[in-house]
Amino acid sequence: MNPLQALRAPLRCLPALLLAMLLCGCKVGLYSGLNEQEANEILAVLALESIASAKERAEGGDWQIQVDEGRLGAALDVLRAQGLPHDRYVSMGDVFQKQGLVSTPAEERMRYIFAVSQELSQTLRTVDGVIAARVHVVIPANDPLSDKIRPSSAAVFIKHRPDVDLRLLAPAVKDMVAHSIEGLSHDQVSLSLFEARRGVAALAGPDPVARPALFGVLPAQTAVLLLALLLAAAGCLMVLPWLLRRRGLDWRSWMRRQLLRR
């Protein structure tokens, strides 16, 4: 049997192995339309859970996050537990921008309530340990000619990290909301605190399958396959001289003849 023919069988497997290596490193989009700060926050959280990810600039200057296809579910679970990406709040100035049309008093009132809710939600979101915050404000339209005045009210929703206890801050949160809305008393503010559940990756501990990317480019599985291919090629080169010697051939002369044939 020709030594070259003996090596053709493993060489035929190289394209299939290369294709498998590329499929193992296939990445899919996780989130898009992010600014750079949001993208960096997502990268940091995924890195803590040993989930390899990367960011790239998309059209329009936005950023998108990509992860390995096999880790998509785990990445979504981790980000959902951390409340990422964060809600985008609208400021008072954005709500009351100058526009050509004249708003009715009812529209102005609704815009004012929405703006106050957004401002308070954004402020509560900056508290350490808070993952998500929402403030729902109710400001009744009282009749100035009526003797019965309906008081304002507010409902505050806060989701916080499991390792943070926000119950001690409940009075301060209620005071801040009550002092931010005209006609709202401390008793008319309801506060609901919810502990965020831990992600599957956090409960199970570090994933033994997930490894840091090689040089920040190749996932660990792809690097292992590439190393196996290199070792297989090196083994073939080491076996070739031995096969040629068994046939009484000098491998240097044989290589020259093979090159001249081409």
Side-chain angles (χ1 to χ4, degrees):
M1 182 178 180
N2 193 312
L4 183 59
Q5 293 178 347
L7 294 176
R8 282 178 180 173
L11 290 176
R12 289 195 190 102
C13 300
L14 286 179
L17 292 175
L18 289 173
L19 179 61
M21 178 183 67
L22 293 176
L23 290 177
C24 288
C26 182
K27 290 186 176 293
V28 295
L30 181 63
Y31 280 108
S32 59
L34 306 170
N35 57 44
E36 190 168 10
Q37 180 180 353
E38 293 171 335
N40 290 336
E41 289 178 350
I42 292 177
L43 288 179
V45 171
L46 293 180
L48 291 176
E49 298 295 339
S50 300
I51 299 177
S53 58
K55 70 175 183 179
E56 65 176 13
R57 187 179 291 275
E59 296 181 1
D62 294 331
W63 293 85
Q64 64 177 359
I65 301 295
Q66 292 187 335
V67 297
D68 293 341
E69 188 174 4
R71 302 289 286 159
L72 179 62
L76 288 174
D77 187 74
V78 169
L79 296 181
R80 190 179 299 113
Q82 294 293 330
L84 293 173
H86 296 306
D87 294 333
R88 294 182 178 179
Y89 300 104
V90 181
S91 65
M92 188 80 73
D94 295 332
V95 174
F96 287 96
Q97 291 181 359
K98 291 185 178 180
Q99 298 178 352
L101 298 178
V102 178
S103 301
T104 64
E107 292 175 341
E108 290 291 331
R109 177 174 168 274
M110 293 301 297
R111 291 169 64 185
Y112 171 74
I113 294 175
F114 174 75
V116 170
S117 301
Q118 289 285 291
E119 293 277 357
L120 289 173
S121 300
Q122 185 175 15
T123 301
L124 293 175
R125 173 62 189 82
T126 59
V127 177
D128 292 339
V130 174
I131 295 176
R134 291 289 183 89
V135 179
H136 303 277
V137 180
V138 178
I139 303 179
N142 290 307
D143 186 356
L145 301 179
S146 176
D147 296 336
K148 187 176 181 180
I149 303 298
R150 292 178 296 174
S152 302
S153 61
V156 181
F157 160 83
I158 292 179
K159 183 170 73 171
H160 59 91
R161 295 203 313 263
D163 58 337
V164 176
D165 188 1
L166 294 181
R167 288 175 296 181
L168 296 177
L169 296 179
V173 171
K174 288 187 175 183
D175 286 340
M176 186 192 70
V177 175
H179 295 159
S180 301
I181 301 174
E182 184 180 0
L184 183 62
S185 63
H186 185 278
D187 296 335
Q188 295 298 324
V189 179
S190 64
L191 175 60
S192 301
L193 299 175
F194 294 89
E195 182 178 303
R197 68 180 182 88
R198 298 180 184 272
V200 174
L203 290 173
D207 192 345
V209 179
R211 297 288 190 274
L214 180 64
F215 304 121
V217 178
L218 295 178
Q221 298 91 335
T222 305
V224 171
L225 283 176
L226 181 58
L227 181 59
L229 290 175
L230 292 176
L231 291 176
C236 292
L237 292 176
M238 293 175 63
V239 171
L240 179 60
W242 178 77
L243 292 174
L244 291 173
R245 282 196 300 270
R246 290 194 61 181
R247 296 178 61 88
L249 300 174
D250 180 67
W251 72 273
R252 294 185 180 87
S253 301
W254 180 84
M255 286 294 296
R256 280 196 295 268
R257 288 199 301 269
Q258 296 298 325
L259 293 175
L260 290 175
R261 287 181 183 179
R262 296 178 181 274

